[in-house]
Amino acid sequence: MTRAWRGAILSVSHDPALDPAAVRHEADGLLVVEDGIVVARGPFADLAERFADVPVERLDGLIVPGFVDCHVHYPQMDSMAAHGEQLLDWLERHIFPAERAFADPAHARAVAGVFCDELLRNGTTSALVFPTVHAHSVDALFEAAMARAMRLVGGKVLMDWGPPGLCDTVETARAETEALIAKWRGRGRLGYAITPRFALTSSDDQLAMAGDLLARHRDVLLHTHLSENTRECAQVRARFTDARDYLDVYDRFGLVGARSVFAHGIHLSGHECARLAESGAGIAVCPSSNLFLGSGMFDFTQAAEFGVRLGLGSDVGAGTTFSLLHTAGLAYQAGLARGHRLDPFRALWLATAAGAALLHVEDRVGALGEGQEADFVLLDPAATPLLARRTRGAALAETLFALQVLGDDRAVSRTYVMGRCAWDRDTARFHPFSEPGP
Ligand code: GUN
Ligand code: ZN
């Protein structure tokens, strides 16, 4: 089935700071989709004749690629806005109790469904997700993602040194991870990530086992936390006395490579940045979380100097918003506090194609290019009275920046997954992939 949408289309396929031609914009564009794949995109005037037989729907607003959230915890969505603590105390007081409740598979299934809907409501169509230590929490997530045809990556959390009630062992972690990879490999649009929680909740033997799994499964990612909070960093230094730095702890266990995604990276040395760049590993930058937990602010200038690969993450539940649009606006503010001016087109790239590259799916999603999967979002520059005033008559860069700073889920009027409308703000309806959509 072939369908087309006419409207303003914007995407950023690679880093516009290195190549301004990365920005692709059609003020009056046509996006032609066949069986969920983009078959043509360009100015309406150029394509109209070729696709004269295809039904065209006009979309008012700005069409951008679906957002790619490079770091988010689905079991923490009901723990957002927990008052009072920084990372380690916040984990003990708020997060570990919430994650213990996922021992119940029915609870995991219920939360996973609401979580996927919340991603869609915010325009996020792909994500790298932390479940819990329970293997069935991965099943719940993947089942919810498949029902919505979403492109999600995740894996059972490894934490043999976790708190009571949330521990696995080296052996159970290996066996459950192997079983989950075998069960879910090649299904839907899903991917697997070996997921040690962070250095402090795994024994040396478990980190070594994670490295072994990563080496033996070339199609999976590595997903963990790195250098987020000063107290966490001090505890890592105290435990791993012969490691050169935090990243080196992971490196010694074979966990640093092009398939590795590390959340945060707030307190990185030059040596760590150089090693990240050399290995091709990426950082998921999570500004709303870093502000909320008082962790600090990401140093975009240092990352650019070394050529560290980046994406954006919401890090819900430390993060305060599911919206990667709003996260882009917060990335600007966090960057400016450390002397960096994040350009709005570069911020859009970080929220889309750059994230897709960290997840190794940049050939599939992130830029709305011909041959890519048709995951896209219709943004409404007049979503609120304030946005309407601020964007009236504004140039594209100004409109995009206003959407990032002032916008959030309210500015997502529709989310499309594989060319089908999955969320429609104006009717407040989700459309499951199994049912005929609008
Ligand atoms: N470090 C280890 N676990 C977590 C977590 O759940 N959230 C955040 N923000 N950092 C972590
Ligand atoms: Zn996190």
Side-chain angles (χ1 to χ4, degrees):
M1 156 135 159
T2 308
R3 293 178 65 184
W5 291 270
R6 180 178 179 181
I9 310 173
L10 173 67
S11 62
V12 188
S13 58
H14 47 285
D15 190 347
L18 306 178
D19 175 16
V23 178
R24 185 172 174 191
H25 174 236
E26 290 96 10
D28 179 15
L30 192 71
L31 183 70
V32 187
V33 174
E34 190 176 323
D35 298 329
I37 304 295
V38 176
V39 292
R41 170 185 162 186
F44 178 77
D46 294 356
L47 294 177
E49 205 179 303
R50 192 171 136 210
F51 294 99
D53 297 342
V54 175
V56 177
E57 183 181 1
R58 211 179 237 287
L59 295 179
D60 285 331
L62 184 62
I63 298 168
V64 299
F67 298 124
V68 181
D69 188 337
C70 291
H71 180 68
V72 56
H73 299 248
Y74 95 81
Q76 298 180 12
M77 66 176 291
D78 295 320
S79 306
M80 292 171 80
H83 181 265
E85 280 86 21
Q86 290 207 356
L87 176 66
L88 299 178
D89 297 320
W90 171 81
L91 286 172
E92 289 289 342
R93 174 150 174 230
H94 301 287
I95 297 306
F96 293 151
E99 293 195 7
R100 281 188 192 100
F102 284 71
D104 174 6
H107 177 65
R109 276 195 298 275
V111 176
V114 181
F115 169 80
C116 287
D117 284 344
E118 195 58 21
L119 290 181
L120 292 173
R121 245 178 34 75
N122 281 275
T124 298
T125 50
S126 299
L128 176 57
V129 186
F130 255 71
T132 64
V133 71
H134 313 94
H136 60 246
S137 74
V138 180
D139 293 325
L141 175 71
F142 283 172
E143 280 157 17
M146 271 190 75
R148 293 160 180 79
M150 294 169 75
R151 188 167 269 295
L152 293 198
V153 183
K156 184 200 117 62
V157 179
L158 314 179
M159 44 193 299
D160 64 335
W161 280 14
L166 278 181
C167 284
D168 53 9
T169 68
V170 177
E171 294 73 30
T172 60
R174 180 192 283 277
E176 288 175 356
T177 300
E178 289 280 16
L180 285 164
I181 292 172
K183 177 174 178 181
W184 289 101
R185 178 174 270 143
R187 291 178 65 183
R189 304 171 75 202
L190 305 174
Y192 201 87
I194 313 281
T195 310
R197 181 171 209 117
F198 67 156
L200 296 177
T201 40
S202 286
S203 64
D204 287 21
D205 285 349
Q206 190 174 62
L207 292 170
M209 183 275 289
D212 182 52
L213 284 174
L214 190 64
R216 287 192 302 107
H217 296 285
R218 308 305 298 180
D219 56 337
V220 308
L221 302 183
L222 182 282
H223 183 199
T224 190
H225 296 93
L226 170 71
S227 199
E228 174 179 6
N229 170 280
T230 49
R231 221 179 106 210
E232 167 209 11
C233 292
Q235 291 194 15
V236 169
R237 269 196 306 277
R239 171 171 158 201
F240 299 96
T241 47
D242 55 351
R244 176 173 183 156
D245 46 43
Y246 197 156
L247 186 67
D248 188 45
V249 171
Y250 292 135
D251 219 354
R252 285 159 181 238
F253 294 108
L255 298 175
V256 179
R259 290 177 288 136
S260 308
V261 179
F262 297 104
H264 308 299
I266 298 293
H267 310 283
L268 296 176
S269 64
H271 179 266
E272 285 172 300
C273 286
R275 176 66 189 129
L276 284 168
E278 170 200 66
S279 68
I283 297 281
V285 180
C286 307
S288 85
S289 162
N290 301 151
L291 291 169
F292 181 73
L293 289 181
S295 305
M297 281 165 250
F298 185 75
D299 190 342
F300 283 96
T301 307
Q302 184 189 39
E305 261 166 32
F306 286 92
V308 178
R309 298 169 69 220
L310 304 179
L312 279 189
S314 66
D315 195 27
V316 162
T320 53
T321 177
F322 271 86
S323 170
L324 277 211
L325 187 66
H326 193 60
T327 301
L330 292 171
Y332 167 82
Q333 296 170 49
L336 200 60
R338 293 187 78 167
H340 185 87
R341 285 200 225 180
L342 181 60
D343 171 85
F345 293 105
R346 189 158 193 265
L348 179 62
W349 168 68
L350 289 174
T352 56
L358 286 204
L359 272 53
H360 289 251
V361 291
E362 71 273 28
D363 54 334
R364 308 289 183 87
V365 294
L368 279 181
E370 291 84 352
Q372 287 202 326
E373 295 158 354
D375 289 353
F376 58 96
V377 180
L378 180 64
L379 297 178
D380 177 3
T384 67
L386 187 63
L387 265 170
R389 289 175 67 87
R390 185 63 186 81
T391 62
R392 192 175 304 135
L396 179 64
E398 206 177 346
T399 297
L400 184 61
F401 188 54
L403 278 164
Q404 291 169 357
V405 176
L406 304 177
D408 49 29
D409 54 333
R410 294 167 296 174
V412 172
S413 52
R414 289 194 193 169
T415 303
Y416 287 80
V417 174
M418 298 289 288
R420 302 227 340 222
C421 181
W423 162 249
D424 183 341
R425 180 197 64 185
D426 297 337
T427 58
R429 284 196 55 202
F430 295 101
H431 300 284
F433 208 73
S434 51
E435 294 171 11

